[in-house]
């Protein structure tokens, strides 16, 4: 069986690797594999602290993927010969004023209702864990199970693992889905090359809804959501600036700081409905630095080494679209929004199984693309 995967970001690569491991012949079509939203992401594996009201159904999938990360990382690093920057360092979510503290209290109550492990700390206890925090921190949640990885190193390792597993790379953009009768049969690339395939996986992130040739009724309803991110560096030799990921509510807005073992500090991220714009704005950089400075005053003394903006692929319900569509031969692996890196292990496993056995795992079934089918929505119960 030949599988064509359109999109070489972290989701496309993990799907390619897992599918090749099951014996399929796999081609990835992407002009620059290893890019995409994950290249700009911070890499928080935050199934608990990323929980939002109304997204409890997504929680089970996030937790399942988070549990797989240690074994997934070990296997990937052995298969690729490269490190991924995985750190089981935990996360501290804090608040700086009474309103944000009340919000965190509500989040803690939601954690308890969902059976999740998080511990409420006073402001003093938060500063004892992270001495660089501002004196005004009013309280926080300690979540030891929310870890981190380095998405750029993760993607490089997936590229190497794919190459070692025999995955072929077509360094062109897929321009049109090819059909044979009533099923997907490959794609035509930007240079005119026709790639035939028994199965096609559309994993092109926010661009998944723009591929020509996909019937309108199965075109994935994903849109790009812009996020700006900053990278700072602690001059070496350095003492630890933060020992774990720190997230915060600052005047109702979210900000996070992710410390890497090599001295890099990732700061983000905005969430902007700006279409396909990927420009870094002065306002975005200012707001991130302003909020981070209120949280950790010493941050403004660090060198700013990179500013980037990326596009998260977002679905109408903020959950991914996984598995077969109503068009035979066409599968989706997109719409992961802010959880693409977190959901990489479970997505790769689910798609590889669906592609090679025709069966989508139980944990992925609530996220089938068919939940958005117009025909299903219009059918009386």
């Amino acid at each position: 069986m030949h599988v064509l995967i359109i999109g070489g970001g972290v989701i496309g690569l993990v799907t390619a690797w897992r599918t090749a491991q099951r014996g399929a012949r796999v081609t990835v079509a992407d002009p620059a594999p290893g890019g995409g939203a994950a290249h700009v992401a911070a890499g928080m594996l935050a199934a608990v602290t990323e929980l939002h009201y109304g997204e409890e159904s997504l929680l089970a999938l996030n937790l399942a993927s988070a549990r797989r990360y240690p074994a997934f990382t070990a296997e990937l690093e052995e298969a690729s010969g490269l490190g991924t920057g995985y750190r089981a360092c935990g996360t501290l979510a804090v608040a700086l004023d009474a309103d944000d503290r009340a919000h965190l209290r509500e989040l803690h109550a939601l954690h308890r209702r969902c059976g999740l492990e998080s511990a409420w700390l006073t402001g003093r206890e938060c500063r004892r864990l992270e001495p660089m925090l501002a004196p005004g921190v009013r309280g926080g949640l300690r979540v030891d199970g929310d870890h981190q990885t380095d998405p750029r190193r993760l993607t490089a390792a997936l590229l190497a693992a794919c190459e070692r597993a025999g995955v072929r790379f077509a360094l062109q953009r897929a321009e049109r889905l090819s059909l044979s009768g009533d099923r997907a049969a490959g794609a035509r690339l930007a240079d005119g090359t026709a790639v035939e395939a028994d199965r096609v996986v559309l994993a092109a992130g926010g661009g998944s809804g723009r591929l020509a040739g996909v019937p309108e009724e199965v075109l994935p309803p994903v849109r790009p959501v812009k996020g700006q991110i900053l990278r700072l560096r602690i001059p070496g030799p350095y003492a630890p600036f933060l020992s774990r990921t720190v997230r915060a509510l600052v005047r109702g807005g979210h900000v996070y700081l992710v410390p890497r073992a090599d001295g890099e500090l990732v700061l983000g991220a905005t969430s902007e409905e700006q279409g396909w714009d990927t420009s870094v704005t002065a306002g975005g950089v200012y707001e991130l630095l302003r909020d981070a400075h209120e949280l950790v005053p010493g941050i403004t003394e660090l060198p700013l080494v990179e500013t980037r903006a990326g596009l998260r692929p977002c679905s109408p319900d903020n959950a991914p679209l996984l598995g077969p569509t109503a068009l035979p031969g066409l599968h989706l692996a997109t719409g992961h929004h802010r959880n693409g890196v977190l959901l990489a292990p479970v997505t790769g496993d689910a798609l590889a199984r669906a592609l090679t056995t025709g069966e989508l795992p139980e944990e992925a079934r609530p996220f089938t693309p068919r939940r958005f089918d117009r025909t299903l929505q219009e059918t009386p119960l």
Side-chain angles (χ1 to χ4, degrees):
M1 181 177 65
H2 182 209
V3 176
L4 171 63
I5 297 175
I6 298 174
V10 67
I11 294 299
L13 291 176
V14 73
T15 300
W17 179 46
R18 287 308 199 197
T19 304
Q21 285 181 316
R22 285 177 168 255
R25 186 163 56 95
V26 181
T27 298
V28 173
D30 193 301
H39 195 70
V40 187
M44 294 179 296
L45 309 177
V48 178
T49 50
E50 279 279 1
L51 178 61
H52 285 62
Y53 292 99
E55 296 183 8
E56 289 84 350
S57 62
L58 181 57
L59 175 63
L61 191 71
N62 287 344
L63 290 172
S65 202
R67 286 192 294 268
R68 296 182 194 190
Y69 240 98
F72 169 78
T73 295
E75 183 184 355
L76 177 59
E77 290 182 344
E78 182 177 358
S80 65
L82 299 174
T84 62
Y86 175 76
R87 295 183 65 200
C89 58
T91 294
L92 181 65
V94 301
L96 282 170
D97 63 29
D99 289 340
D100 294 336
R101 184 177 182 273
H103 176 84
L104 273 186
R105 279 290 195 185
E106 293 174 1
L107 182 60
H108 187 218
L110 178 61
H111 289 168
R112 293 169 66 91
R113 290 196 298 272
C114 294
L116 303 175
E117 293 185 7
S118 64
W120 180 260
L121 303 180
T122 65
R124 180 174 298 177
E125 289 170 331
C126 290
R127 290 188 296 275
R128 188 176 299 126
L129 283 178
E130 297 294 344
M132 297 297 292
L133 288 174
V137 167
R138 302 288 294 273
L141 292 175
R142 176 176 176 173
V143 182
D144 291 337
D146 278 1
H147 301 155
Q148 63 159 283
T149 192
D150 186 334
R152 295 182 178 182
R153 297 178 67 186
L154 174 69
T155 303
L158 283 169
L159 272 171
C162 283
E163 291 170 352
R164 292 186 178 187
V167 174
R168 174 179 172 267
F169 288 91
L171 302 180
Q172 295 287 331
R173 185 181 70 258
E175 290 199 334
R176 173 173 289 273
L177 182 71
S178 300
L179 302 177
S180 177
D182 64 348
R183 65 177 295 113
R188 183 167 297 277
L189 307 185
D191 64 354
T193 301
V195 180
E196 297 180 354
D198 302 293
R199 305 280 189 275
V200 178
V201 179
L202 187 48
S208 297
R210 307 177 86 188
L211 182 65
V214 179
E216 183 178 355
E217 62 271 17
V218 296
L219 201 64
V222 294
R223 71 185 192 280
V225 176
K226 178 180 176 181
Q228 300 188 53
I229 197 168
L230 314 178
R231 295 178 188 271
L232 299 88
R233 178 150 304 273
I234 302 169
Y238 59 89
F241 193 81
L242 294 170
S243 64
R244 74 202 73 220
T245 298
V246 173
R247 306 170 60 95
L249 283 166
V250 180
R251 293 180 300 272
H254 294 273
V255 65
Y256 57 72
L257 297 89
V258 184
R260 304 272 190 244
D262 63 359
E264 181 180 75
L265 186 65
V266 183
L267 171 61
T270 64
S271 184
E272 308 167 48
E273 298 281 356
Q274 296 290 339
W276 297 96
D277 173 47
T278 56
S279 60
V280 176
T281 65
V285 173
Y286 166 73
E287 289 174 7
L288 287 173
L289 289 175
R290 177 199 63 196
D291 292 349
H293 173 73
E294 289 196 32
L295 179 66
V296 182
I299 199 171
T300 51
E301 303 300 320
L302 300 179
L304 176 62
V305 297
E306 183 180 317
T307 60
R308 291 284 297 272
L311 300 174
R312 309 177 186 92
C314 187
S315 73
D317 60 3
N318 294 333
L321 293 86
L322 304 176
T325 68
L327 178 67
L330 179 65
H331 290 64
L332 298 184
T334 188
H336 292 73
H337 196 204
R338 60 183 181 272
N339 292 313
V341 175
L342 169 63
L343 289 174
V346 77
T347 296
D349 291 344
L351 266 293
R353 181 172 168 183
L355 289 164
T356 57
T357 71
E359 180 183 355
L360 194 65
E362 180 70 30
E363 62 203 356
R365 290 176 191 171
F367 308 99
T368 170
R370 300 298 304 271
R371 71 188 189 272
F372 294 118
D373 281 6
R374 296 177 184 175
T375 54
L376 293 179
Q377 293 169 359
E378 294 169 0
T379 302
L381 297 177

